[in-house]
Amino acid sequence: MTSLVEGARRLVGRSVPTVGDRLRSLEAAATAARGRLDDELVDRADTVVRRASSRLALSGDHTVVALAGATGSGKSSMFNALTGLELAQVSVRRPTTSVTAGAAWGDDAAELFEWLGVQRRHQVAAPAGDLDGLVLLDLPDHDSTEVAHHLEVDRLVQLVDMLVWVVDPQKYADAALHERYLRRLATHQDVMIVVLNHVDEVPHDERRPMVEDLRRLLKHDGLTGVPVLTTSATLGEGVDELRALVTVRVREKKAAAARLTADVVAVASDLRKQSGTGEPAALARSTKGDLVDAFADAAGVPTVVHAVQRSVARRGAQQTGWLVTSWLSRLKPDPLRRLHLDLGASGKELTGLGRASVPEPTRVQRARVDTTVRAVAERVGADLTPAWSDAIRRASVSRLEDLNDALDRAIVRTDLGAAKVPLWWRLAKVLQVVFAIALVAGAGWLLGLLVLDYLQMTSPEPPERYGFPLPTLLLLAGLIGGIALGVVGRAVNGLVARARARSADRRLRAAIAEVTEDLVLAPIDHELQAYAEVRAALSAALHR
Ligand SMILES: Nc1nc2c(ncn2[C@@H]2O[C@H](COP(=O)(O)OP(=O)(O)OP(=O)(O)O)[C@@H](O)[C@H]2O)c(=O)[nH]1
Ligand SMILES: [Mg+2]
């Protein structure tokens, strides 16, 4: 039981996609590849999709078989011999057929003829027998001086479901035939037959070597599996065999799908050759870190961080310092305000200028950004084909013109955390006021005693504490206490300022990391998604 289920699953897993499935995959691949892979190649894929879709929408009961070849090879004669009808014009004049003629057996093929652009058409009314479903075309030659002839051949070679190449003993090796047509149709050998006609004009002992020579040439074209027949359209030799081969294909009704599949496979293979199947490299954290470093440098993050440290230290000194030095330090402007990074109420308000005054990146900083971005793009695309590594490189720099504005916005938006006022600052300030009051009171008291003494007036003895007169104690305590608190506060504030600077640095880098994401990593990701889509779609289109 299990083996049956497994067998079924394996069968389903291996199920071959329909032409429609392949076409949808090819279309998806072409859409995602547009602008990334070669335009001409993508156009070709789109053309195949359009052409194949229109063919699929038409009669699937008919198989369009075209007789193609050089002038005089006997295409028209073969048309008549195969059908038993004298519909095609045969003549010793070269070239004879200048307009494609067609005949259809079975259901009405008018729509199909319309799509093929074949005007000279004949719907065979008689019971069709083994020719039921055949649409046979007699093409003009591909090698006469009439340009219109080979253009018509080129056009129909793209459209028909099956090709019978009629060659003759004189011209079967012509470069025009092999280079212009057969070699390019190497992917289509399942829907081709090669016929060496005029074989009655070749002595019996030369026929086999000639066929072998023809096979050798076909092999060189990449056509090893294509059937080769020898015929004489005038004497009827080999005609039955050819008809048998053709009618089998017509009865199977698979030639149209096979031809379209071959078209899809041909262009999808070329796309895959250019697109490749390599894995894009995942970016290490350190590489992303390099990017953030370079951007942070360009954004002047070190300048801002330094300003945060100095600003915090300065405000700390104002709050906790000895009142005299605190007043003096108010005379200098705040370093952050100078960068137009106002502390505001919460520390993240702007000055209203909308733009920080962090200097524009220098050329060296900008060059570092460019080099780092290039290195990132190169790393991601290292194992991809040039088409994709180029696309990734282009995408990586596509948004860099916004760099300065984006960095500025990131800095301006970041809460630098510089405005917080710790509780101990407030306590220290109260203490400094108390020390100052003690100092002033002590000094005033002593001054009063001094004046009274000068005026030779008796003054009451000031009370003593701890062996010191109280005014002296007040003066000394106020002075030493204020200065000592200032010194200790300064040391602690140094640590606070450094911690705040580190935290500002972290927040700024987080904001800058978002900028690298928006400007560089997301565009690269977009290309990688397209690559994944192309790769998956092509593998579906080429599924065996
Ligand atoms: N001996 C011999 N003559 C043939 C054979 N097939 C065609 N012919 C003759 O070759 C000449 C050209 O034949 P067509 O059938 O008109 O050749 P075609 O390939 O249609 O030529 P175009 O229409 O000019 O492209 C005619 O005189 C035919 O009678 C053949 O198998 N043996
Ligand atoms: Mg002809």
Side-chain angles (χ1 to χ4, degrees):
M1 190 65 200
T2 318
S3 68
L4 248 182
V5 171
E6 266 177 14
R9 199 173 291 151
R10 228 176 292 137
L11 257 181
V12 171
R14 250 193 279 146
S15 72
V16 180
T18 64
V19 198
D21 295 339
R22 288 184 199 275
L23 277 175
R24 275 184 290 282
S25 300
L26 181 62
E27 191 173 20
T31 307
R34 174 72 65 196
R36 281 129 180 166
L37 300 186
D38 192 28
D39 274 346
E40 229 172 278
L41 195 50
V42 177
D43 286 346
R44 229 180 85 201
D46 277 341
T47 308
V48 167
V49 170
R50 243 178 295 125
R51 197 172 60 214
S53 306
S54 59
R55 174 65 185 97
L56 279 182
L58 290 165
S59 165
D61 289 336
H62 281 108
T63 302
V64 183
V65 181
L67 296 162
T71 183
S73 64
K75 300 179 290 298
S76 302
S77 308
M78 190 60 79
F79 185 98
N80 294 339
L82 278 174
T83 61
L85 303 167
E86 292 298 318
L87 285 173
Q89 194 189 352
V90 176
S91 155
V92 286
R93 181 173 63 90
R94 297 275 65 82
T96 300
T97 310
S98 57
V99 176
T100 304
W105 286 259
D107 294 341
D108 181 38
E111 234 188 334
L112 198 49
F113 275 129
E114 206 56 50
W115 179 75
L116 290 163
V118 171
Q119 304 302 325
R120 270 184 56 188
R121 46 181 110 151
H122 185 86
Q123 182 74 40
V124 181
D130 58 359
L131 295 182
D132 189 17
L134 172 66
V135 172
L136 190 62
L137 302 183
D138 176 26
L139 302 193
D141 64 278
H142 64 72
D143 66 339
S144 73
T145 49
E146 297 291 337
V147 177
H149 290 194
H150 85 236
L151 289 179
E152 171 77 346
V153 175
D154 288 0
R155 191 180 71 77
L156 281 164
V157 158
Q158 304 291 325
L159 300 181
V160 301
D161 303 329
M162 240 188 108
L163 281 159
V164 177
W165 291 98
V166 182
V167 301
D168 63 44
Q170 280 80 43
K171 294 197 280 186
Y172 71 84
D174 265 12
L177 171 70
H178 293 273
E179 282 165 20
R180 197 177 161 80
Y181 296 100
L182 296 182
R183 207 159 297 166
R184 295 183 190 182
L185 289 164
T187 45
H188 288 61
Q189 55 181 333
D190 288 350
V191 289
M192 298 208 295
I193 297 173
V194 174
V195 169
L196 178 61
N197 192 33
H198 284 263
V199 80
D200 54 295
E201 291 167 354
V202 182
H204 275 280
D205 56 338
E206 288 176 27
R207 290 185 188 179
R208 187 194 275 269
M210 190 175 281
V211 169
E212 273 164 17
D213 189 39
L214 174 57
R215 277 191 204 281
R216 190 182 52 76
L217 291 170
L218 291 172
K219 191 174 165 194
H220 187 66
D221 295 331
L223 296 167
T224 43
V226 75
V228 178
L229 300 182
T230 50
T231 58
S232 166
T234 43
L235 300 184
E237 213 180 312
V239 172
D240 286 343
E241 282 170 53
L242 176 59
R243 188 189 300 107
L245 267 187
V246 169
T247 50
V248 164
R249 306 288 186 91
V250 171
R251 214 178 312 126
E252 285 174 351
K253 295 182 184 171
K254 286 183 187 159
R259 197 258 138 84
L260 300 178
T261 302
D263 285 350
V264 172
V265 167
V267 72
S269 304
D270 286 352
L271 278 169
R272 182 149 77 176
K273 221 175 283 162
Q274 198 180 87
S275 190
T277 53
E279 286 295 337
L283 278 184
R285 268 172 84 101
S286 63
T287 313
K288 290 187 181 175
D290 290 347
L291 204 55
V292 174
D293 282 347
F295 275 48
D297 186 32
V301 166
T303 313
V304 176
V305 168
H306 190 59
V308 166
Q309 186 172 348
R310 284 191 305 142
S311 170
V312 172
R314 178 177 168 279
R315 280 179 322 113
Q318 279 167 9
Q319 296 288 315
T320 65
W322 193 39
L323 285 191
V324 180
T325 48
S326 159
W327 282 327
L328 287 177
S329 79
R330 272 177 213 280
L331 299 176
K332 281 191 290 177
D334 188 284
L336 275 179
R337 219 171 282 265
R338 215 184 300 167
L339 294 176
H340 292 162
L341 292 167
D342 194 20
L343 299 170
S346 63
K348 60 178 174 183
E349 299 297 325
L350 305 183
T351 52
L353 293 180
R355 195 187 164 85
S357 294
V358 179
E360 297 254 304
T362 62
R363 278 173 56 188
V364 175
Q365 288 170 329
R366 182 60 211 231
R368 183 179 168 197
V369 166
D370 291 343
T371 314
T372 316
V373 169
R374 199 177 316 126
V376 166
E378 265 166 28
R379 189 164 303 187
V380 174
D383 292 332
L384 306 184
T385 55
W388 285 105
S389 55
D390 280 356
I392 287 170
R393 190 185 41 70
R394 279 197 306 274
S396 71
V397 296
S398 63
R399 298 207 48 208
L400 280 190
E401 64 225 51
D402 292 341
L403 180 68
N404 293 354
D405 284 346
L407 290 178
D408 211 72
R409 278 197 303 276
I411 293 219
V412 157
R413 255 193 238 130
T414 303
D415 176 0
L416 298 173
K420 270 179 285 170
V421 176
L423 185 64
W424 73 272
W425 281 9
R426 298 189 203 279
L427 292 175
K429 182 145 194 168
V430 171
L431 265 179
Q432 284 293 12
V433 172
V434 170
F435 283 135
I437 290 170
L439 174 67
V440 171
W445 195 337
L446 285 177
L447 196 67
L449 288 177
L450 207 66
V451 171
L452 284 178
D453 200 30
Y454 180 73
L455 297 175
Q456 298 295 308
M457 290 171 69
T458 50
S459 56
E461 275 293 301
E464 288 197 0
R465 288 284 188 285
Y466 313 109
F468 286 95
L470 193 55
T472 316
L473 194 65
L474 280 175
L475 176 93
L476 287 179
L479 185 67
I480 296 171
I483 293 176
L485 177 57
V487 169
V488 173
R490 194 185 174 83
V492 178
N493 275 327
L495 298 177
V496 170
R498 267 204 293 284
R500 294 276 184 87
R502 270 199 301 278
S503 139
D505 188 56
R506 264 198 308 279
R507 292 171 194 209
L508 284 168
R509 269 166 204 280
I512 299 275
E514 276 177 33
V515 176
T516 64
E517 185 64 42
D518 287 352
L519 262 49
V520 179
L521 300 176
I524 289 181
D525 251 9
H526 193 63
E527 295 308 293
L528 291 182
Q529 272 168 27
Y531 175 63
E533 269 169 47
V534 170
R535 201 166 75 158
L538 287 179
S539 112
L542 290 167
H543 190 287
R544 282 170 190 275

